Amino acid sequence: MNSLDMDGPFKLDPATVRKVVQGGMPGNFALGHLDGGKRFAVQYVGRHDVDVLDGLMAALRAGIGQPGLTARLFGSDRRANAFKFSYAVDQRAAFEKQCRNYHDFNASGKLENGSHPASPSGSGLSCPTCGA
């Protein structure tokens, strides 16, 4: 069974994010929902190379994990209502963890992530899983 290796889940709202996550550190996060068994179902994996708190708040503002208009009308998509996160020692560690999480949880394209995580600008890093 795959593991995000993150703290949480916590309620996904700005007040909880600010309360739980310390700013100024790189890190990773996952957005998702609690299923019927209260298990965290991953919908999106992200990172921020400088400040994971900023990354989470930006994801909230962008509406990541929230169903689009059609899904809201027909009630077919789950709304992200929880998050998990972890700190990273540097941008390389954050990138490599996001890549692993992306590959572990994107079986059959279930994540909302539109494409493979991009390496940090100018880093020359490649994915430890697939080399991208």
Side-chain angles (χ1 to χ4, degrees):
M1 175 175 240
N2 296 326
S3 171
L4 288 165
D5 193 23
M6 296 181 184
D7 293 331
F10 302 99
K11 182 179 177 184
L12 182 61
D13 64 53
T16 303
V17 170
R18 282 190 212 96
K19 180 180 177 183
V20 173
V21 182
Q22 179 180 334
M25 299 171 65
N28 301 80
F29 60 92
L31 305 179
H33 63 275
L34 297 177
D35 68 14
K38 299 296 182 191
R39 291 174 304 201
F40 184 75
V42 181
Q43 293 174 236
Y44 181 88
V45 294
R47 78 166 195 277
H48 198 284
D49 295 330
V50 177
D51 189 331
V52 69
L53 174 59
D54 281 351
L56 265 164
M57 294 304 289
L60 278 171
R61 285 190 300 274
I64 294 172
Q66 304 311 309
L69 178 61
T70 303
R72 285 192 308 253
L73 289 173
F74 296 102
S76 60
D77 278 354
R78 298 260 182 168
R79 175 179 293 271
N81 61 9
F83 75 96
K84 289 186 169 196
F85 79 100
S86 62
Y87 301 111
V89 295
D90 57 24
Q91 68 180 12
R92 177 188 195 112
F95 169 67
E96 289 178 351
K97 183 172 189 168
Q98 185 188 20
C99 288
R100 285 190 304 274
N101 288 336
Y102 175 83
H103 287 286
D104 286 349
F105 291 92
N106 200 36
S108 66
K110 291 189 176 185
L111 288 180
E112 287 184 30
N113 296 65
S115 58
H116 191 283
S119 64
S121 181
S123 70
L125 295 173
S126 57
C127 175
T129 303
C130 71

